[in-house]
Amino acid sequence: MVNNEKKKITLSIPVETNNTLEEMARKHGMTKSGLVTFLINQLKEKRKRFYF
């Protein structure tokens, strides 16, 4: 079973970035939180050298 513990956070991002995030999430049928998690996981897989 996967540990799916969550922590609520607040981010300050530019309005334009938020609009893009909302549009991408809507297009892919995801929540903004789900999209951010997906994108971070994709980056982690492709760029493992950035994480230590």
Side-chain angles (χ1 to χ4, degrees):
M1 179 142 236
V2 175
N3 181 4
N4 199 16
E5 184 178 342
K6 296 182 179 184
K7 177 163 179 75
K8 188 172 210 125
I9 64 167
T10 301
L11 297 173
S12 295
I13 58 175
V15 171
E16 184 176 326
T17 301
N18 184 60
N19 292 342
T20 301
L21 184 62
E22 287 178 343
E23 181 181 330
M24 289 175 67
R26 188 173 33 256
K27 180 179 178 182
H28 296 287
M30 303 173 80
T31 63
K32 289 193 290 185
S33 175
L35 179 58
V36 168
T37 300
F38 172 78
L39 294 171
I40 289 171
N41 288 336
Q42 290 295 305
L43 180 61
K44 235 165 99 173
E45 285 300 311
K46 291 181 180 180
R47 308 281 186 206
K48 287 185 179 182
R49 63 186 170 162
F50 292 131
Y51 296 90
F52 45 97

